[in-house]
Amino acid sequence: MRDKFLRWGIVVVVVVWAISLLLKTYYWIPILLTLIYALGIYNCFQTKHAILRNFPVIGYFRYFFESISPEMQQYFIERETDGKPFPRNQRSAVYRRAKNISDTVPFGTQLEVNQRKYEGIKHSIYAQSPKEELPRVMIGGDACTQKYDASLFNISAMSFGSLSDRAQMALNRGAKKGRFFHNTGEGGISPYHLEGGDLCWQIGTGYFGSRDEEGKFSPEIFTKNASLPNVKLIEIKLSQGAKPGHGGMLPGAKNTPEIAAIRHVTPGVTIISPPSHSAFSDAAGLLRFVQQLRELSGGKPVGFKLCIGDTKEFEDICVQMNVLKIYPDFITIDGAEGGTGAAPPEFSDGVGMPLEPALIFVNRTLTLFNVRDKVRIIASGKVLTSLDILRAIAMGADMCNNARGFMFALGCIQALRCNTNNCPTGVATQDKMLIKGLDVTDKSERVYHFHKNTLHTCNELIAAAGRNSYEEVDATMFMRGDEFEHLADLYFPDTLGNFQEFKSKY
């Protein structure tokens, strides 16, 4: 292709120039062709892209279609039940609830209900009337003097830097109106988190917002921020489900001077938090750090977030709870399916325990060590729908956090460009031009409505199951496709097996 381009390209350019000169018009056509031919010559001799070297000029179409492949997948290929990490039908439900319009669907389910992966709730013929009051959960143990009455469903950790200023403002205003908390993420407390909504301040391994000049934890700076009335809880981030064992990552394109000033780092460079904390190095140190933060904050609830990996390490934390008599007020369990703005694919795809087995393990382990009644469990990791929330509670959670659902409420279209600073909806970017498209007043209302309508559907589901309260939600409410297969085996025995049995007799 390269040789043909060089040989025939010059012929076409000469012929077009000759025709244009004879006609004494349309000079823009040969000029354009000359520029394209010059670009093709450059393509032939550059060494970075083999496609362009072998297919001058037309090779650019490959890169163009690759750049819009997520949109092509969504608009022309994806079915209602397709799409990763969230299918279209789930995203559509969030959009409708956020807009406070009907979330009903016509004609019946599109799911394969006879498949093993199907999950559903066992309804009762003695269904209850759903309650209007949205559920709440009290957080705070005996050592906590400022207990917090939390919503069952809250905004999970997303830092300013990962999300835009307007996105954070809309989230916080929505949290204020709906009386649920907004997790700051490990990037620290920004001015855009202070719109009146309750905050869960997350302390990551980089100690952003509570670090000294050397990047170490500073009790003095921490106390100053922890005393803010908006801060209701403090969460120590040990690991994140989408990249456990890997520090948080802020691409340099998103690290603006404003963000760098909040985090006390150098602007314009990619910031990777350390993989572990410098303030402690073992289970006993972690619990003493919990106690220290609780004292420095004036008795506010303090807990930690982690994705379960080596189960022995969590068991050791439980042992030390009883030895030291120090108990976190809550533990946030993040599943390996959790989201992130930027992570190496091997970490997102191959590290960490999924949420469901992690919740079961943590719940049983805390019970085994007789500390379950002292600690609240928060589930985080792809908890998007009302069914997801109830499933997490059935597996042992007391309440749930979600990030990507609230991003959808802000207008996120799952463009999968969070790590490029080119988010087309202005949610996960620091590009001022793109951010202007996000209206804070409108999106804050959508955040509020998404939260309210999701929990209202939770109330409807437990009422349909004949339960009166969330304390009655357990695994017996749920059914799975493998149960149907077992029933089918009972009522429709294997024909071949019967034939073999008949043959052996005769």
Side-chain angles (χ1 to χ4, degrees), residues 492-501:
F492 300 97
D494 188 278
T495 304
L496 181 60
N498 291 342
F499 175 76
Q500 295 295 348
E501 182 180 354

Side-chain angles (χ1 to χ4, degrees), residues 72-137:
M72 293 178 67
Q73 179 74 23
Q74 281 194 25
Y75 302 149
F76 303 111
I77 301 173
E78 183 180 305
R79 298 177 299 175
E80 286 297 310
T81 56
D82 292 336
K84 300 293 182 181
F86 293 96
R88 184 190 297 271
N89 60 347
Q90 289 189 354
R91 302 197 307 270
S92 297
V94 174
Y95 296 145
R96 290 193 294 268
R97 287 172 180 167
K99 294 176 183 178
N100 202 31
I101 60 178
S102 174
D103 61 354
T104 58
V105 294
F107 226 65
T109 182
Q110 296 186 35
L111 300 178
E112 297 291 341
V113 296
N114 286 312
Q115 300 299 317
R116 177 178 292 269
K117 64 181 181 180
Y118 173 78
E119 292 186 2
I121 284 181
K122 299 175 184 177
H123 70 281
S124 171
I125 59 175
Y126 310 108
Q128 307 290 319
S129 297
K131 296 180 179 179
E132 291 298 323
E133 183 180 1
L134 301 183
R136 304 193 69 81
V137 179

Side-chain angles (χ1 to χ4, degrees), residues 136-425:
R136 304 193 69 81
V137 179
M138 186 64 68
I139 302 178
D142 294 337
C144 179
T145 59
Q146 297 190 50
K147 294 179 173 61
Y148 177 64
D149 184 26
S151 170
L152 185 76
F153 189 47
N154 304 279
I155 303 172
S156 195
M158 294 181 285
S159 301
F160 171 54
S162 176
L163 265 58
S164 67
D165 51 3
R166 292 195 180 189
Q168 296 290 6
M169 291 171 67
L171 289 172
N172 201 256
R173 290 183 188 180
K176 177 184 178 181
K177 185 171 182 178
R179 296 178 57 236
F180 53 97
F181 72 71
H182 175 196
N183 193 307
T184 65
E186 65 175 302
I189 303 173
S190 72
Y192 313 108
H193 288 110
L194 303 176
E195 293 288 317
D198 293 342
L199 291 180
C200 177
W201 181 21
Q202 187 179 87
I203 306 296
T205 56
Y207 302 114
F208 301 122
S210 60
R211 59 187 271 153
D212 58 22
E213 296 299 326
E214 298 178 355
K216 304 296 183 180
F217 176 73
S218 170
E220 294 77 19
I221 298 177
F222 170 84
T223 302
K224 179 181 178 181
N225 283 322
S227 62
L228 292 172
N230 306 67
V231 176
K232 305 297 183 181
L233 311 93
I234 293 98
E235 179 181 78
I236 304 166
K237 176 185 171 183
L238 302 180
S239 57
Q240 181 179 349
K243 47 186 174 184
H246 190 284
M249 183 185 301
L250 179 67
K254 289 186 172 185
N255 186 15
T256 65
E258 181 184 26
I259 293 168
I262 293 171
R263 299 193 180 200
H264 297 159
V265 295
T266 303
V269 300
T270 297
I271 302 299
I272 301 178
S273 303
S276 60
H277 283 261
S278 60
F280 55 87
S281 58
D282 55 21
L286 166 62
L287 294 174
R288 291 191 182 98
F289 192 56
V290 167
Q291 185 179 43
Q292 180 186 10
L293 298 191
R294 189 185 289 133
E295 293 172 352
L296 291 173
S297 65
K300 293 181 179 180
V302 179
F304 55 85
K305 172 183 177 179
L306 80 165
C307 177
I308 297 296
D310 187 344
T311 56
K312 293 181 180 179
E313 293 179 344
F314 186 80
E315 291 171 355
D316 187 37
I317 294 174
C318 294
V319 170
Q320 292 300 317
M321 288 183 195
N322 287 324
V323 171
L324 300 174
K325 303 301 179 185
I326 301 175
Y327 307 98
D329 297 295
F330 64 92
I331 299 175
T332 303
I333 304 300
D334 201 7
E337 63 270 49
T340 179
E346 292 84 356
F347 278 81
S348 289
D349 297 338
V351 184
M353 185 182 293
L355 180 62
E356 184 175 307
L359 281 175
I360 295 172
F361 163 74
V362 169
N363 184 51
R364 290 182 176 177
T365 304
L366 291 174
T367 302
L368 179 65
F369 285 91
N370 298 315
V371 296
R372 180 64 182 89
D373 61 327
K374 303 178 185 299
V375 182
R376 293 294 190 187
I377 298 177
I378 304 176
S380 173
K382 214 173 181 182
V383 183
L384 181 73
T385 68
S386 304
L387 196 62
D388 295 331
I389 294 173
L390 294 183
R391 187 189 298 112
I393 293 174
M395 296 300 107
D398 294 298
M399 51 194 294
C400 299
N401 289 350
N402 178 264
R404 287 170 288 183
F406 285 98
M407 289 178 67
F408 290 143
L410 290 173
C412 168
I413 59 171
Q414 196 169 280
L416 306 181
R417 294 180 180 173
C418 307
N419 61 332
T420 66
N421 203 38
N422 295 317
C423 170
T425 59

Side-chain angles (χ1 to χ4, degrees), residues 33-46:
L33 285 177
T34 302
L35 293 175
I36 293 175
Y37 185 67
L39 176 62
I41 293 175
Y42 167 76
N43 292 158
C44 291
F45 294 99
Q46 58 82 32

